[in-house]
Amino acid sequence: MTGTDVLMLILVFAAGVLIGLVFFGGLWWTILRGIGSPRPALWFFGSFLVRMVFLLTALYYISGGAWIRLILLGSGILLARSLVLRWTNSLGKKSLPEQEVIHASQP
């Protein structure tokens, strides 16, 4: 395995992280938009279709049929999932004490 091959595998992993950030970031964005929408099913179904087409197309073209690339892409996507979960949880915890104060002050 040459240095070029290693660089290519690193780029494939980075592409997996980017794909995962788009996929799970899009899911988070959809939840924010869909909850307040008069037609949430349209938001969730449409977002699911767009995100899945994006994900599967990217996996198909980037992997090129090589199993090692699929493993690296999947690992990058899982890392991105963890990053998005951590980021969205930290956003939710900032407003949590305010909610506790509101609930505690109500009879």
Side-chain angles (χ1 to χ4, degrees), residues 67-102:
W67 64 270
I68 188 71
R69 288 185 179 187
L70 280 174
I71 291 172
L72 289 171
L73 285 166
S75 300
I77 290 169
L78 288 176
L79 175 64
R81 178 184 177 270
S82 298
L83 293 173
V84 170
L85 277 174
R86 181 174 294 169
W87 185 63
T88 56
N89 282 339
S90 69
L91 289 177
K93 288 181 181 177
K94 288 180 182 176
S95 62
L96 186 62
E98 294 173 9
Q99 292 173 358
E100 289 175 359
V101 169
I102 292 171

Side-chain angles (χ1 to χ4, degrees), residues 1 14 18 21 27 32 49 55 59-60 63 65 75 77 84 87 97:
M1 187 173 271
L18 182 62
L21 288 174
L27 175 60
L32 292 178
L49 283 178
L55 176 74
L59 287 175
Y60 178 77
S63 74
S75 300
I77 290 169
V84 170
W87 185 63

